[in-house]
Amino acid sequence: MSAVGEPRSFNDLESVLIAAADEFLLRGYDAARIGHIAAAAGLSKSSLYHHVEGKEQLLALGSDRALAGLERGFAEARRLPDPAESVRRLIELVIEDMTDRARLPFVALLIGVRGNSELERRALDERRRYDRELAALLERGQAGGAIRVDVPADVLARLCFGTLNSLHSWVRPDHPDVVSIRSAATAYVLAGITATR
Amino acid sequence: MSAVGEPRSFNDLESVLIAAADEFLLRGYDAARIGHIAAAAGLSKSSLYHHVEGKEQLLALGSDRALAGLERGFAEARRLPDPAESVRRLIELVIEDMTDRARLPFVALLIGVRGNSELERRALDERRRYDRELAALLERGQAGGAIRVDVPADVLARLCFGTLNSLHSWVRPDHPDVVSIRSAATAYVLAGITATR
DNA sequence: GTCTATAAATGGATAGAC
DNA sequence: GTCTATCCATTTATAGAC
């Protein structure tokens, strides 16, 4: 146990990644400062560079985590045979990811990616694969009569992800009502995509 | 009429503002380069600085335009006595703004504002006033029975704007089907906020 | 009003001591 | 593994000629 005022010792890569994602979330990739990330992780800039290659690698590691979360959601959704149930569960899981304190910085980081560098384009391409998978899922739901057919499935998928991806900018994961906000968001999105009888 | 290859002459402030908003839209404020903006407007950096004070002013002028568009939409919506009709019209107008080639860069610019500088915080505060006005409108709609009551009006307003604000990232204003995409987005949002009978 | 040249500052990345 | 000091590329912004 160290006394107050002593320099903090280095914890692990995890704390660096969280610090980086938090900084990216707060300022965006370009405005993020390596010095801020280092300070938040309790390191000097030089020490940070001893552990990671640079700013781009921090972005890559962070977006990989966000993509892994998406993949987990889709993996569970794929296991459900009914497309309507599958979509519902997927939306729930994505919203959970988006409003979880530990996951939010990574998710927001991925959403903020603009695709200007080669690295960013790769991350964006990965994300688009999930756009297409959701569209395919919605299309099956349309065929089954559960999903509205007056909007093309690919447009519906974009609208759906558009709503979900906007959550990070205003939902506070530590908000006392985060559970009811999650179910509100789920209800809103489902109403938007469900077929009217 | 000047010959091909001649250096372009300065047009007016308008072309500078559009070039700036395009650059901000493409790269985000921090990654935007003054040199790119100057080149796109057919000027050298120095000449650009002869006309505007700097990067921050370009952001301020652009976000002012976006806010003016929002104000126009709300002004028209306010004139409609029925809250449900008012919300519907507002959504249509915001979507139109968001998918108009000439307006999109300014709108996207405002949406991208993160609130890190004093200037950005002011723009963000202006935007929040419209969040609240939409919430008030939705609340009146809830009282009248047209808007769903299982989600609080302020949450509904955030979800609604969240969907609308995501359009800029994937709707191409020059897309041949932009008209049908507009009505699809309107239908989706309205389904999300409308009371089920 | 437009340019070239340059100042001034920022910030990512590295050297090298401990 | 961590630090201080520094390098150096980039980029905003300005000076001053035409």
Side-chain angles (χ1 to χ4, degrees):
Chain A
M1 190 81 77
S2 57
V4 176
E6 273 193 15
R8 287 200 196 142
S9 63
F10 178 61
N11 300 313
D12 52 7
L13 183 62
E14 191 60 25
S15 61
V16 171
L17 289 186
I18 292 171
D22 277 339
E23 172 76 357
F24 291 146
L25 170 59
L26 181 65
R27 309 200 181 237
Y29 178 74
D30 294 287
R33 298 295 164 235
I34 291 284
H36 295 170
I37 296 170
L43 291 171
S44 71
K45 275 199 300 176
S46 300
S47 299
L48 177 63
Y49 274 103
H50 188 78
H51 295 283
V52 297
E53 284 170 21
K55 201 175 173 180
E56 283 224 311
Q57 192 187 45
L58 288 171
L59 176 67
L61 292 171
S63 73
D64 280 353
R65 296 208 165 202
L67 285 166
L70 261 185
E71 177 52 34
R72 276 195 298 274
F74 272 91
E76 180 169 337
R78 279 183 213 115
R79 280 197 289 274
L80 298 174
D82 178 47
E85 266 312 302
S86 191
V87 169
R88 164 186 279 276
R89 185 68 187 132
L90 178 67
I91 289 168
E92 281 174 0
L93 288 170
V94 170
I95 288 176
E96 215 173 291
D97 214 31
M98 196 83 60
T99 55
D100 181 274
R101 173 69 189 85
R103 299 278 315 152
L104 168 68
F106 299 113
V107 174
L109 165 59
L110 179 61
I111 292 169
V113 160
R114 282 178 170 273
N116 289 323
S117 70
E118 186 52 39
L119 173 72
E120 288 179 300
R121 268 187 294 278
R122 269 206 302 280
L124 221 48
D125 284 344
E126 288 283 323
R127 238 181 68 188
R128 290 213 188 94
R129 283 183 25 209
Y130 293 107
D131 277 8
R132 286 194 294 274
E133 184 164 349
L134 175 57
L137 207 52
L138 289 169
E139 207 165 358
R140 285 177 49 211
Q142 287 177 323
I147 302 295
R148 69 187 308 157
V149 293
D150 59 335
V151 176
D154 62 326
V155 174
L156 221 42
R158 297 269 201 175
L159 288 165
C160 187
F161 264 131
T163 310
L164 298 179
N165 289 345
S166 72
L167 294 179
H168 76 89
S169 68
W170 61 275
V171 177
R172 297 282 146 258
D174 50 357
H175 192 286
D177 287 339
V178 70
V179 174
S180 65
I181 291 177
R182 279 187 192 127
S183 63
T186 306
Y188 169 90
V189 174
L190 284 176
I193 64 173
T194 303
T196 53
R197 286 168 305 96
Chain B
M1 189 82 76
S2 57
V4 176
E6 274 193 14
R8 288 200 196 143
S9 64
F10 179 62
N11 300 315
D12 51 8
L13 185 62
E14 192 60 26
S15 63
V16 171
L17 289 185
I18 292 171
D22 277 339
E23 172 78 357
F24 291 147
L25 171 59
L26 181 66
R27 313 203 177 232
Y29 178 75
D30 293 286
R33 298 296 163 236
I34 291 284
H36 295 170
I37 296 170
L43 290 172
S44 72
K45 279 196 298 176
S46 300
S47 300
L48 177 62
Y49 275 103
H50 186 78
H51 296 283
V52 297
E53 285 171 23
K55 204 174 172 181
E56 282 225 311
Q57 193 188 42
L58 288 171
L59 177 66
L61 292 171
S63 72
D64 279 353
R65 297 209 165 200
L67 285 166
L70 262 184
E71 176 52 32
R72 276 195 298 273
F74 272 90
E76 181 169 336
R78 278 183 213 116
R79 280 196 290 272
L80 297 174
D82 177 47
E85 266 310 302
S86 190
V87 169
R88 162 186 281 274
R89 186 67 187 133
L90 178 67
I91 289 168
E92 282 175 358
L93 288 170
V94 170
I95 288 176
E96 216 175 290
D97 214 30
M98 195 82 62
T99 56
D100 181 273
R101 172 69 188 83
R103 299 278 315 151
L104 168 69
F106 300 112
V107 174
L109 165 60
L110 179 61
I111 293 169
V113 159
R114 283 178 169 274
N116 290 323
S117 70
E118 185 53 38
L119 173 71
E120 289 178 300
R121 269 188 292 278
R122 268 206 302 277
L124 223 48
D125 284 345
E126 286 284 322
R127 241 181 65 188
R128 291 213 187 92
R129 281 181 27 208
Y130 292 107
D131 278 9
R132 286 195 294 274
E133 182 165 352
L134 176 56
L137 207 51
L138 289 169
E139 207 166 359
R140 284 177 48 211
Q142 287 177 323
I147 302 296
R148 70 187 307 157
V149 292
D150 58 336
V151 175
D154 61 328
V155 173
L156 221 41
R158 297 269 201 177
L159 288 165
C160 188
F161 264 131
T163 309
L164 298 179
N165 290 344
S166 72
L167 294 179
H168 77 90
S169 68
W170 63 276
V171 177
R172 298 281 145 261
D174 50 359
H175 192 287
D177 287 340
V178 68
V179 174
S180 66
I181 290 177
R182 279 187 191 129
S183 63
T186 306
Y188 170 91
V189 174
L190 283 176
I193 63 174
T194 303
T196 53
R197 285 167 305 96

